[in-house]
Amino acid sequence: MRNKKHAAKSLRGAALVLTLGAAALMVSAQQGPAGGAGGRAPQPLMVHQLKPNIYWVEGAGGNSAVIVGNNGVIVVDTKTTAPAGAELVADVAKITPKPITTVILTHSDGDHVNGLASFPAGIAIIAQENCKTEMQAASNTPAGAALADHMPTRTVTKNMEDATIEGVHLRLLHFAPAHTSGDLMVYLPDDKIMFTGDIVATQSPYPLIHTEKNGTSEGWITTMNGILATDAVTFVPGHGDVQMKADLQKRLADTAARRDQIKALAAQGKSLDDVRQGLNEPPPAARPGGGGGPGGPGGGPGGPAGAAAAARPNMADFTAIVYGEVKK
């Protein structure tokens, strides 16, 4: 696979980085506090090296990044649960004795933020401003209370903000409400590596969009065009294996074509069921997992992954989302 050119030895002692299939990633992404999906024991995190100081970590929720700076460490996204967050912190300690000083959140879904509960107190937490709003709303619920003391300390308010943290040049990007209203891409221009969050989630051929968090299909296309306009070469998605620019270009083209098909059928006055028939697409209840369509774990911040997976019907599939946008 193309990403093998960018991978180095695994910190788990494996000779080469092993890639997991989308199904395996979905299992680890849906692990709950007491175990994995379906009662399976949680799998250990897998750490992959991209550059001497840049790593990505898969398992127990969304992918995370570890970036070792001059005097401290930047982590992007923190896993689904407090125990998984603690394991991520422990893995960072195996990479370097430098302390974690900064966390950057790509969005507010629980499988990317809940692990914050195990991170050191007093660190900087950076998020897009809408992400912070979503996290604050969830902190008023029993499930989100664990993050009440781990709210973002700095918010990104522009479409592009450059920052130097621990001597590392970062570019933080937000183009439009897409997966959620508060998506943030973390780009390392000097290394041409971008962490996309769930703008790219390879377990689904089409975008995962939280309409309850004001995500939109049009915003997703705007965001992907913005991502592809950069000179990034390597892309670490929110879920799944490392992607290259050609992979994202194909995902964008396929999504735009499917979106146009849905819009054309909806404009003819067809029902959602008729649109699905016209696309030769099974209804959500007939798909693996049933009832929810291609949803993403983690629903709202602070919600355990198991509960979020059970609530997947709240996350409509791409066809339903586009159809709903047309019919507004």
Side-chain angles (χ1 to χ4, degrees), residues 57-92:
V57 186
E58 65 178 316
N63 290 332
S64 299
V66 175
I67 304 161
V68 182
N70 291 340
N71 299 303
V73 177
I74 305 159
V75 172
V76 180
D77 290 345
T78 62
K79 304 303 180 187
T80 305
T81 64
E87 184 179 354
L88 179 57
V89 170
D91 280 339
V92 171

Side-chain angles (χ1 to χ4, degrees), residues 211-254:
T211 55
E212 80 282 6
K213 295 183 181 180
N214 298 310
T216 70
S217 66
E218 181 178 3
W220 185 89
I221 287 174
T222 297
T223 296
M224 279 294 283
N225 278 317
I227 288 171
L228 289 168
T230 71
D231 61 353
V233 172
T234 304
F235 303 85
V236 178
H239 296 271
D241 202 7
V242 171
Q243 304 284 286
M244 311 307 288
K245 184 158 279 191
D247 299 316
L248 269 60
Q249 289 169 332
K250 182 179 187 304
R251 179 171 287 268
L252 174 59
D254 290 348

Side-chain angles (χ1 to χ4, degrees), residues 91-129:
D91 280 339
V92 171
K94 295 173 185 176
I95 294 171
T96 176
K98 297 175 183 179
I100 296 171
T101 61
T102 306
V103 167
I104 304 175
L105 302 174
T106 62
H107 62 291
S108 67
D109 283 2
D111 57 327
H112 293 256
V113 306
N114 285 357
L116 269 173
S118 294
F119 274 63
I123 62 173
I125 302 173
I126 301 172
Q128 205 276 339
E129 59 182 340

